């Protein structure tokens, strides 16, 4: 009897059916449904297929309701449904298509620290929450293939300094282009953490924005878009009174007509050591693909690079930003698991330009004419924590346990700056700037040949700059080389 009871407890409790419009009776495809328990907690989520069909699986027997919230329309909540252990129940909800006119319900300037308290704030939050929840669901159901162009670079405001400048492509079935820290950690430690290794900046992802700790530590205000945000309405947020940790303030922008989530803009506030710069922050743009799923289209985070200057008397002054480290990327192509193209950027070859900073400084004068940087007057360079991808050698011990299938994947994961674009360096020989690959001292071809080398065969990889590769292998190696030692 005990064995039988245990077996029954592991059986799934399922609701399946078709979602339709109550007036036209047309099936509603690409709609998100949630299964909520007696306490209002979400227990399952599904997206309807082109025929409006869905399947929701409950974690245990009990009483549930089906909730449907279409972007721009009032939510639908079903009557209570009782599911017995192992039962499959058929249910066909019909949703009344009652629109929510945001241009009428949003009152600019309404501020609430309880996001459900004010009618205007609550109306915007209802739409934002649905899009963010759909984004989380899409990420956890890895049914989309991405080609993402990513970058990491240092941009200095005045003096010329050489810094990080890497671009690379990643492809495959990815959960999310970036992930933040757990919401509980951010509430306790803040969005910028300083330790002996440097500064670590965290950007907010959908999980964080939906979390109780974030809602508990921030207040919200409605905004009407103007100029660059004309036609949008915003749900602005800022740290609650009395919060002194490094934090973020920003705005989630929605389309006034369709209520679809457009983008998030945020700034870092209350930075450590008194660093102040309104350009420190980021932007995340969202996209609803034809299947109804939500994805991050592009993102950018900007982190100050600051120095603490000394006064004429030798005392330490206030920190000032001399530049920024920028990290981000953009989706170039998105396909379903069946190979159907659902998004393609206008250009799939370049990183989108960033217009929020002054243009890069002009090339430096000859070395003899470069004025000495006042290193003696500047101490304690404050930098974001560099990513764990530096150096010109990659060993088997470092990549142990990596899921990468080949040598190219290992480089993408651990040394993406090796793959930065070099461009053409010779008119007569257009391939002179290509990054070449040598396997056990034998020329293998261009960098694409790394895909032919199984990751498990790699003992060591080494990057050679253009001059170093030319010295070792001769002319026409201006693009550098990657040496691979295999088992």
């Amino acid at each position: 009897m005990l064995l039988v009871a245990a077996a029954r407890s592991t059986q799934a409790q399922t609701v399946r059916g078709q979602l339709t419009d109550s007036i036209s009776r047309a099936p509603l495809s690409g709609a998100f449904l949630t299964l909520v328990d007696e306490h209002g907690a979400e227990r399952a989520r599904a997206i309807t297929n082109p025929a409006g069909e869905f399947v929701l699986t409950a974690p245990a027997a009990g009483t549930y309701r089906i909730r449907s919230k279409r972007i721009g329309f009032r939510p639908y909540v079903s009557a209570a449904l009782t599911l017995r252990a192992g039962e499959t129940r058929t249910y066909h909800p019909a949703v009344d298509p009652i629109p929510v006119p945001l241009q009428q319900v949003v009152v600019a300037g309404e501020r609430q620290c309880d996001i459900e308290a004010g009618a205007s704030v609550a109306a915007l939050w209802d739409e934002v929450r649905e899009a963010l929840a759909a984004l989380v669901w899409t990420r956890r159901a890895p049914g989309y293939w991405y080609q993402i162009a990513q970058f990491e670079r240092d941009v200095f405001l005045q003096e010329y300094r050489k810094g990080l400048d890497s671009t690379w492509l990643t492809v495959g079935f990815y959960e999310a282009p970036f992930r933040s820290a757990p919401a509980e950690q951010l509430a306790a430690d803040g969005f910028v953490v300083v330790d002996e290794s440097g500064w670590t900046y965290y950007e907010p992802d959908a999980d964080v924005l939906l979390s109780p700790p974030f809602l508990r530590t921030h207040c919200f205000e409605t905004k009407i878009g103007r100029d660059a945000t004309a036609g949008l309405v915003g749900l602005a947020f800022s740290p609650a009174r009395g919060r002194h940790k490094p934090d973020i303030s920003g705005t989630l922008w929605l389309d006034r007509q369709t209520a679809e989530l457009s983008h998030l803009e945020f700034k870092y506030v209350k930075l450590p050591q008194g660093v102040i710069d309104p350009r420190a922050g980021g932007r995340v743009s969202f996209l609803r693909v034809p299947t109804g799923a939500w994805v991050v289209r592009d993102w950018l985070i900007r982190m100050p690079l600051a120095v603490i200057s000394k006064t004429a008397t030798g005392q330490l002054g206030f920190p000032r930003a001399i530049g920024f480290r920028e990290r981000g990327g953009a989706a170039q192509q998105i396909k379903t698991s069946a190979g159907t193209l659902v998004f393609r950027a206008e250009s799939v070859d370049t990183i989108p330009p960033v217009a929020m900073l002054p243009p890069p400084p002009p090339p430096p004068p000859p070395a003899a004419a470069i004025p000495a940087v006042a290193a003696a007057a500047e101490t304690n360079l404050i930098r974001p924590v560099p990513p764990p991808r530096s150096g010109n050698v990659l060993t088997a011990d470092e990549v142990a346990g990596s899921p990468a299938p080949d040598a190219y994947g290992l480089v993408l994961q651990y040394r993406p700056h090796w793959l930065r674009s070099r461009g053409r360096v010779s008119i007569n020989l257009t391939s002179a700037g290509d990054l070449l690959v040598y396997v056990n001292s034998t020329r293998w071809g261009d960098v694409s040949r790394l895909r032919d080398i199984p990751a498990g065969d790699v003992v060591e990889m080494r990057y050679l700059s253009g001059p170093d590769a030319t010295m070792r292998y001769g002319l026409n190696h201006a693009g550098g080389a990657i040496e691979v030692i295999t088992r």
Side-chain angles (χ1 to χ4, degrees):
M1 292 296 292
L2 292 176
L3 292 177
V4 172
R8 288 178 178 174
S9 68
T10 61
Q11 295 176 342
Q13 301 71 225
T14 303
V15 182
R16 61 173 65 245
Q18 182 185 49
L19 186 70
T20 59
D21 186 298
S22 64
I23 296 178
S24 67
R25 299 299 179 183
L28 299 176
S29 64
F32 280 88
L33 300 175
T34 55
L35 193 67
V36 296
D37 63 17
E38 295 175 290
H39 305 289
E42 180 180 316
R43 296 302 183 185
R45 176 174 280 261
I47 183 172
T48 58
N49 65 15
E53 299 167 333
F54 65 90
V55 176
L56 291 163
T57 301
T63 301
Y64 300 90
R65 295 178 188 269
I66 295 177
R67 181 182 184 274
S68 171
K69 174 63 180 79
R70 297 167 60 199
I71 300 296
F73 292 86
R74 289 185 182 177
Y76 160 87
V77 180
S78 75
L81 303 173
T82 300
L83 294 177
R84 294 186 294 270
E87 179 184 14
T88 297
R89 182 166 179 175
T90 300
Y91 188 79
H92 299 294
V95 179
D96 296 329
I98 303 175
V100 177
L102 289 185
Q103 61 268 34
Q104 298 177 17
V105 302
V106 173
V107 179
E110 180 185 283
R111 179 178 172 83
Q112 297 288 338
C113 291
D114 179 355
I115 200 165
E116 302 287 353
S120 183
V121 167
L124 279 185
W125 173 241
D126 209 27
E127 304 299 329
V128 168
R129 177 175 54 193
E130 187 63 19
L132 293 177
L135 187 70
V136 171
W137 182 91
T138 304
R139 191 192 70 229
R140 292 176 180 173
Y144 291 88
W145 177 94
Y146 295 83
Q147 177 180 308
I148 302 175
Q150 299 192 53
F151 65 90
E152 193 159 15
R153 60 198 177 200
D154 290 342
V155 179
F156 293 97
L157 303 180
Q158 295 178 350
E159 62 266 41
Y160 176 82
R161 296 190 180 194
K162 186 177 180 181
L164 186 66
D165 186 8
S166 299
T167 61
W168 65 95
L169 283 176
T170 55
V171 295
F173 290 89
Y174 293 98
E175 289 189 351
F178 66 87
R179 294 294 300 273
S180 188
E184 294 79 6
Q185 175 185 326
L186 297 175
D189 301 332
F191 281 78
V192 183
V193 177
V194 181
D195 56 26
E196 62 277 1
S197 60
W199 290 33
T200 302
Y201 286 77
Y202 295 105
E203 56 264 75
D205 60 11
D207 289 284
V208 168
L209 296 171
L210 287 170
S211 69
F214 185 84
L215 300 180
R216 186 178 63 248
T217 55
H218 291 79
C219 296
F220 298 84
E221 181 179 354
T222 52
K223 299 173 67 175
I224 303 296
R226 295 181 177 85
D227 299 327
T229 55
L232 305 178
V233 290
L235 182 62
F237 57 86
S238 58
R241 181 178 300 177
R243 179 161 172 79
H244 303 295
K245 298 290 185 180
D247 214 306
I248 58 172
S249 63
T251 304
L252 289 148
W253 290 102
L254 300 91
D255 188 286
R256 292 187 69 174
Q257 300 298 324
T258 66
E260 288 196 351
L261 185 60
S262 170
H263 65 277
L264 160 68
E265 298 173 337
F266 67 93
K267 296 180 179 179
Y268 291 104
V269 296
K270 301 179 182 178
L271 289 172
Q273 300 188 25
V275 175
I276 299 176
D277 197 297
R279 292 166 295 188
R283 176 187 172 104
V284 182
S285 297
F286 306 99
L287 173 69
R288 186 173 186 263
V289 298
T291 58
W294 282 81
V295 298
V296 171
R297 187 183 66 190
D298 55 72
W299 77 100
L300 166 72
I301 175 176
R302 180 174 296 115
M303 305 162 281
L305 302 172
V307 295
I308 300 177
S309 302
K310 284 185 177 180
T311 65
T313 60
Q315 296 179 337
L316 293 178
F318 293 99
R320 63 182 179 88
I322 61 171
F324 296 88
R325 173 160 296 172
E326 297 178 339
R327 184 173 68 235
Q332 305 294 283
Q333 295 186 64
I334 303 175
K335 299 179 182 179
T336 66
S337 57
T340 303
L341 183 69
V342 296
F343 173 76
R344 180 182 175 89
E346 294 181 1
S347 172
V348 297
D349 299 320
T350 59
I351 295 292
V354 178
M356 296 176 63
L357 281 177
I370 297 179
V373 177
E378 295 179 343
T379 60
N380 300 336
L381 181 62
I382 304 169
R383 285 185 175 272
V385 172
R389 43 178 183 262
S390 60
N392 292 335
V393 179
L394 185 62
T395 65
D397 291 339
E398 186 175 355
V399 303
S402 170
D406 50 44
Y408 189 86
L410 294 176
V411 174
L412 278 178
Q413 183 176 358
Y414 295 98
R415 300 290 190 273
H417 63 281
W418 290 2
L419 305 176
R420 64 183 182 272
S421 176
R422 290 159 177 78
R424 188 166 64 178
V425 298
S426 171
I427 296 177
N428 296 324
L429 183 63
T430 58
S431 62
D434 292 348
L435 179 62
L436 300 178
V437 173
Y438 283 79
V439 178
N440 300 327
S441 301
T442 300
R443 181 162 174 166
W444 201 250
D446 63 23
V447 70
S448 65
R449 294 298 306 277
L450 288 173
R451 300 184 188 276
D452 300 334
I453 307 171
D457 292 348
V458 175
V459 174
E460 182 179 290
M461 285 192 283
R462 184 180 300 272
Y463 171 74
L464 301 177
S465 65
D468 290 340
T470 299
M471 182 170 294
R472 178 169 299 190
Y473 297 111
L475 297 176
N476 303 326
H477 286 81
I482 295 178
E483 294 181 330
V484 183
I485 300 175
T486 61
R487 301 184 189 280

